[in-house]
Amino acid sequence: MKAVVFGGTNQLRIEERPIPVPGTGEAVIRITTTTICGTDVHIVRGEYPVRPGLILGHEPVGVIAALGDGLEPEYRIGQRVIVGAITPCGQCFSCLGGSHAQCGGPLGGWRFGNTIDGAWAEYLRVPDARANLAVIPDSLSDEQVVLLPDIFSTGLSGAESGNVRVGDAVAVFAQGPIGLCATLGAKLRGAALIVGVDAVPERLEMARRFGATHVVNVREQDPVAEIRRLTGGRGVDVAIEALGRQETFENALRSTRPGGTVSSLGVYSGKLVAPYEAIHAGLGDQRIVMTLCPGGKERMRRLLELVAHDRVDLTPLVTHHFAFDDIHEAFEMFSSQRAGVMKIALTPQAVGELVAQRVTARAFRQ
Amino acid sequence: MKAVVFGGTNQLRIEERPIPVPGTGEAVIRITTTTICGTDVHIVRGEYPVRPGLILGHEPVGVIAALGDGLEPEYRIGQRVIVGAITPCGQCFSCLGGSHAQCGGPLGGWRFGNTIDGAWAEYLRVPDARANLAVIPDSLSDEQVVLLPDIFSTGLSGAESGNVRVGDAVAVFAQGPIGLCATLGAKLRGAALIVGVDAVPERLEMARRFGATHVVNVREQDPVAEIRRLTGGRGVDVAIEALGRQETFENALRSTRPGGTVSSLGVYSGKLVAPYEAIHAGLGDQRIVMTLCPGGKERMRRLLELVAHDRVDLTPLVTHHFAFDDIHEAFEMFSSQRAGVMKIALTPQAVGELVAQRVTARAFRQ
Amino acid sequence: MKAVVFGGTNQLRIEERPIPVPGTGEAVIRITTTTICGTDVHIVRGEYPVRPGLILGHEPVGVIAALGDGLEPEYRIGQRVIVGAITPCGQCFSCLGGSHAQCGGPLGGWRFGNTIDGAWAEYLRVPDARANLAVIPDSLSDEQVVLLPDIFSTGLSGAESGNVRVGDAVAVFAQGPIGLCATLGAKLRGAALIVGVDAVPERLEMARRFGATHVVNVREQDPVAEIRRLTGGRGVDVAIEALGRQETFENALRSTRPGGTVSSLGVYSGKLVAPYEAIHAGLGDQRIVMTLCPGGKERMRRLLELVAHDRVDLTPLVTHHFAFDDIHEAFEMFSSQRAGVMKIALTPQAVGELVAQRVTARAFRQ
Amino acid sequence: MKAVVFGGTNQLRIEERPIPVPGTGEAVIRITTTTICGTDVHIVRGEYPVRPGLILGHEPVGVIAALGDGLEPEYRIGQRVIVGAITPCGQCFSCLGGSHAQCGGPLGGWRFGNTIDGAWAEYLRVPDARANLAVIPDSLSDEQVVLLPDIFSTGLSGAESGNVRVGDAVAVFAQGPIGLCATLGAKLRGAALIVGVDAVPERLEMARRFGATHVVNVREQDPVAEIRRLTGGRGVDVAIEALGRQETFENALRSTRPGGTVSSLGVYSGKLVAPYEAIHAGLGDQRIVMTLCPGGKERMRRLLELVAHDRVDLTPLVTHHFAFDDIHEAFEMFSSQRAGVMKIALTPQAVGELVAQRVTARAFRQ
């Protein structure tokens, strides 16, 4: 099968690999759509360590192609599924304790494109499939669901971990795809005032579509001062950090009221510093909460329900389409944030080929 | 001043009373708008005990007319305010423990029209005013905020106490004003599937406007069976009871999945019965949560923020307008649910008089 | 192997059965100690439906005798383990959502002696063993841990689900084994005032050893009045029901302050009734929470830690010892609460035989 | 009256001041016992800004000497009371929102010896007395309760904010008075493994008395490595920082498992740094929670209940006694941690004088 492989720092290669075979409790899915994530950019740039030779990608949409022992009759060949970026086993001490993303140890739930082969291939082997395969309702297209496995699950978790409550004031620092989903998450949890912060006008415009009641362009305004002003001097109840930089973290902390929460989603490449006055000498009753993406099929089922009942529409974020063969162009565009790209739908074949294939697939399912 | 007084079972009288004078920590507000609540119907019918001679009404919108010691400069004469139906002191053991509605003892936070004179009068004395006066933003009209003190605060609390989470399936039993606000509350907390249940087509239609993704007319369908079908046999995560009858409570319980929650808002006039099989012999990990209306100025501030930032619009519920002089007609219409009435805006004067008065009031404030 | 089999209402039979063989992901353990539970009494009396022919018992202590595929090297033959009465799969929607006891559907996590063969046999097949085998520290004896799988996990959960907080006032209705563990649970969560309620002086005496600061004998005092008196008229923050009868449930509700919680552990054989005044017409901000026993290996690990660090000593509850061959005498004693029995340690062989066997087992492990 | 006044950096003066007079809602209490806190050391050293001329001290035990309007009949002259170090109003937005320590704004609930005159005087004016006076049960001595207003309330909150659960593994960094109370708090919330960390053998010995199951002397062992070893490589569920230094904070973070919580109680004199690997690049699902001392009479009531029911005995911490006249010696001993001092009971008169006074006081109350 065709696969996009990490070849070492700044190297992505298209290689031919054998189609994986499912072991007990595993499934193999034929990938129909996947995407590129900011974390993949970290990996390719060598900022987050992954072993060369691994197939990257952790946001799979596909069709069940093969099932290992123990998965029938709950699942059957031909079902359309998504799988979370995080694939917990459900059975270790961490999972049973509710810490699914830390399955088996630190970050252990993140396996695709990190410790095992990922979704940038024609086929993907899914471990602990019983805990991870989420069937897609027939009414939903690949593009409606491709952002659920990571971007939306992570963004929403920023609002959840921050415990945003109905009527809260919330600020979201950075309005890339995850920040936009955090903005949407704040809206979904009933925040009243939602301030989107970024430096790119197009992203601030998108922030309004995703629920921001106010936006702040950091090139034009001091976000901390502006948030203070908007909240009558009080500060927000919850500030969500969605970039992974000291500056945004610090601004989030300074924007938060005493007793409030900074909910951090970013992947940091260095230490975090909390200034003395921003933590009120340690006496401000503040919380700092960091969250990796929630996964597992129950999480995916909930997110699918939101899309199916028209509570969430993520398709405006899918701005471009590429086939695996064009991964270099896609990756370059995404990592340089060129051409107004937000998220790229990545498919094994070019779109023309796909249409033909879908016709076949439908025939197959009938 | 003019006041609507409870005269004993099935008696409402318009009386002339002295304008109240504020004691220390108290305020007197001139009522501009108030409304009739289902609880008032219970009282007038003699189903909930209140002493004759009391001015009824617990949903005040008004203007500060007089301030007792200790309230300036935080407050000043002429400010427009709402006060919650529940007026906690903030300083007793219950309040400091977070149980504000049970201020000082069972139901102790509910004072207006229950243990002290209420809002159906030209002037209202507000106890513990520092904890209870919430200033209305200039941009909001009386009708936009008159349902916040009770109906919306109560309805929303049904979703909050039930701990509705993003992606949940929720059913709301009865779509009167509180049930509709519970439906809206479920939406505000991010529910995916929201089933509105009632017997009146107009109310089910309104339920869709307030966030229901599905509606069930109990005259046409068995709600428990239909909710099972809509949730794939699983049951809802949270069922909200918004009527106060055994039948709706029981249906709520039977509609809820194991591990789920029944959130009860109704005022019951008898015992509650939980059938054996509906509680799985006590082993179904279910919760039953009952909630009185949250009050206090911080609660009101949060609800005002929701209106100010266009997250909530309750004006479709205000279907009729009456002056105090027409209380008998208003009460009869409301209690018999005639003429498609949802909520009635009740004002000291008829609307024509009010326009003149508002001009004067504005002049006064400048 | 020898097994104690449910033969229909009021029938227990000792039968010879084949030793089970583990499938994929399953383990077989050789039972060294188990016990009789109040639920078993319900089953034998025909009050809770279980199919005749099933081996009963759901509280296993044993030694791993055989391992199916996928369990090594985490587990190995010869390890001493306990398994919770509830054996969640960890991978279904309920489990991934945190509702492990309702695994796959209502009460689905309770399998041993309910839907599959249980622990009253020389060998026990454990489903989803990766999620359920908890290794016993060498320092702990069978009798120190045999009450963890059900009695203590359930009793403690009464305090946990009731959200007992440090400084709370708590009442526990009924001081049988589960009630005593609930009393201990209240103490472990930091309750200040703990009132144990029962009709048997010996059980009230034991209640004091398990943490009760006060006891009430219902034959001598009205528990509701006495609890009101002890709490200065306020009522308890949390009342735990540990019997499964209308009377104790009702007393629990009447003893609870507005804003408080009734945490119910009992297995009911009929409907539950909440009187009008006890729920303050639905307006008392009360919660009723029902809990089945938490299971899974992480739960068991935590409970083992409590015993290993001397926070919990349950051995005073093990008042009698019987071998499987004497099950009829054991069952009669337990179900009639004769001879001061609290819990019975049930072993495949009589104690004399066991000593010899243990010597052999130790030799085997070296 | 006699008062101990902050005279600027490193200056404490005994001065004669007028006895305060209570305003509306205020009380004046005659101090019988108070104590010196680590925060006072920060203030006197000039590390935390307080205006010269202020009477210091925030841990009052006393007798009601005068009551302003609005406090009778709930309170009466002659009642023995404690008042929390934090005195919330209960009626502002922060208090009504549950953030009592941040009453009115950052750290606003901390008034005694910070923004208004404190407890190191013969008489103390108590603001918002209805929310803050907690009557001491007759059975309890001053020394049994003098550590409740701050030290124990703060220490316990470390375990509460960290959400220590039954069966958790907890490490407490620094075993001064607050750390010891945090250790006790971890025990009260049911932790299994509790590791006390300090450099002073006497404090580690005391840690065992307060609930530590293990102790680590940082002069002899690397605490992070030792905690890893004690938890089988896993890390603790909750680490409590009780000193206010970068080193202890960092060790706390490194000792905590993914998904765990660092609960910080220390008063920091500079920024906080979270190293990259200790936060797993932001992806470890960790929480950092900072807590100021919870106050108000409901909090004090709960703590008094714990002492009254023998769940807590803090008297071993009161190692020395001094009169106000000896404040310089007392302060020097406390701040230099000389002579095995833990906490000092500070009284207006020397102990001999006090005995005579108590006889008088009792006569007065009869």
Side-chain angles (χ1 to χ4, degrees), chain C residues 166 168 191 234 302 311, chain D residues 166 168 187 191 301-302 311:
Chain C
V166 176
D168 267 1
R234 192 168 159 270
R302 292 182 152 265
R311 295 298 312 270
Chain D
V166 176
D168 267 0
K187 184 181 178 187
R301 184 191 68 77
R302 291 180 153 267
R311 295 298 313 270

Side-chain angles (χ1 to χ4, degrees), chain B residues 19 22 49 121 124 224 274 297 302 305 365:
Chain B
I19 294 177
L124 171 71
V224 177
K297 76 177 176 187
R302 291 181 152 265
E305 287 283 299
R365 285 164 62 198

